[in-house]
Amino acid sequence: MSAKNGAVKLVAGNSNLVLAREIGRWLGLELTKASVRRFADNEIFVEVLENVRGSDVYVIQSTSYPTNDHLMELLIITDALRRASARRITAVIPYFGYARQDRKVGSRSPISAKLVANLITRAGTDRVLTLDLHAGQIQGFFDIPTDNLYASPVMVRDIKERFELGKLMVVSPDVGGVVRARGLAKRISAPLAIIDKRRERAGESEVMNVIGDVAGYTCILIDDIVDSGGTLVNAADALLANGARDVYAYITHGVLSGAAAARIAGSKLKELVITDSIQPTDAVSKTGNIRLLSIAGLIGEAINRTAAEQSVSSLFD
């Protein structure tokens, strides 16, 4: 691969080593040797074990569970690289934690996504590469160049390989996700439906109505994050009650906390497809109706283009 900012180096934290190695294989690069470990009191210590002076370094780290530990790893790795004289440091964050806290929801509540953006910037990061931000405006929280990639090309390719397109309907699980769902529906020339829901409290949702005629269609729910799984389970029930043939879900980030995997396993969802932006737990890996899509090639190509100072946005034209 070509580079204009020094030799390209990949450094990985502990959040998703499997994905980091896959990205390295796609680029034909070995991960830079680094030690990311804990002291007895869980204090994080980082040591970069190779020369990175003058290098274009990409730190691959999702800020997934345990979110705060993985965020601190990212910050400390960045500081170590800056002090080791790396020429440019790009934080590759397949899943950006705290993204759901992108605005004030009450009089005295924080905008935590902005705080985290400030921390990453002040640590010494030169640019950020992330995937399917929960809210697009988070790009503006960073005072450094930020590329927000989209998993939709990977999903579209998989959908075209597995389904008869003429019998598909794309469904947004809430009004806020309509733009995302409409974009995918346009790519596969499918009609669009919307789930109208009321969320009584965080982590719980109640489906109220299905907007659109889904009778006879195979429905594909599209969203960026699945956490408790309650929204998807309720949406699948509502769609089937309105005459849908089968219900599938394509979600970028499989947070799947708590009993979410068991909830999906016991649901009427035919299949939940998630990307490997978050390393799946054993419970998720063993759930029969959850399948993983690799985004290593997408992120690898974005890194390749960034290193060569080429367009990243043209990946999604």
Side-chain angles (χ1 to χ4, degrees), residues 102-304:
D102 61 305
R103 63 193 184 279
K104 286 175 68 71
V105 296
S107 299
R108 288 165 293 280
S109 60
I111 305 179
S112 301
K114 172 58 176 169
L115 172 62
V116 171
N118 288 345
L119 290 170
I120 292 170
T121 302
R122 293 301 297 270
T125 303
D126 293 297
R127 66 184 305 125
V128 169
L129 190 67
T130 188
L131 177 73
D132 273 340
L133 284 170
H134 184 63
Q137 69 264 22
I138 293 173
Q139 292 176 82
F141 291 177
F142 289 93
D143 295 324
I144 52 178
T146 302
D147 289 308
N148 182 29
L149 307 179
Y150 303 99
S152 54
V154 178
M155 293 179 176
V156 166
R157 184 165 57 248
D158 189 78
I159 289 169
K160 286 182 175 179
E161 290 172 354
R162 291 175 176 268
F163 296 96
E164 186 178 342
L165 298 185
K167 297 181 179 179
L168 290 183
M169 178 171 286
V170 174
V171 182
S172 174
D174 54 38
V175 175
V178 169
V179 173
R180 179 182 294 105
R182 185 185 293 122
L184 189 135
K186 184 177 179 181
R187 283 172 175 260
I188 61 174
S189 301
L192 177 68
I194 304 166
I195 301 291
D196 173 33
K197 71 177 184 183
R198 178 179 301 162
R199 187 182 296 275
E200 300 293 342
R201 58 184 65 87
E204 296 182 14
S205 64
E206 179 185 358
V207 171
M208 301 298 292
N209 192 27
V210 177
I211 303 172
D213 183 7
V214 300
Y217 283 97
T218 295
C219 291
I220 297 183
L221 288 156
I222 299 293
D223 210 350
D224 62 321
I225 296 174
V226 52
D227 190 347
S228 68
T231 293
L232 290 187
V233 170
N234 290 344
D237 290 344
L239 291 168
L240 291 169
N242 279 266
R245 184 187 306 164
D246 290 306
V247 181
Y248 295 76
Y250 278 73
I251 313 293
T252 304
H253 306 298
V255 176
L256 295 170
S257 55
R263 188 172 292 114
I264 297 298
S267 74
K268 296 177 182 178
L269 272 173
K270 196 83 169 179
E271 187 177 53
L272 166 61
V273 183
I274 56 176
T275 77
D276 53 357
S277 65
I278 296 173
Q279 189 163 306
T281 62
D282 289 341
V284 170
S285 298
K286 293 174 182 176
T287 302
N289 62 341
I290 298 179
R291 180 166 59 89
L292 221 59
L293 275 182
S294 176
I295 53 165
L298 176 67
I299 293 178
E301 179 59 23
I303 290 174
N304 189 35

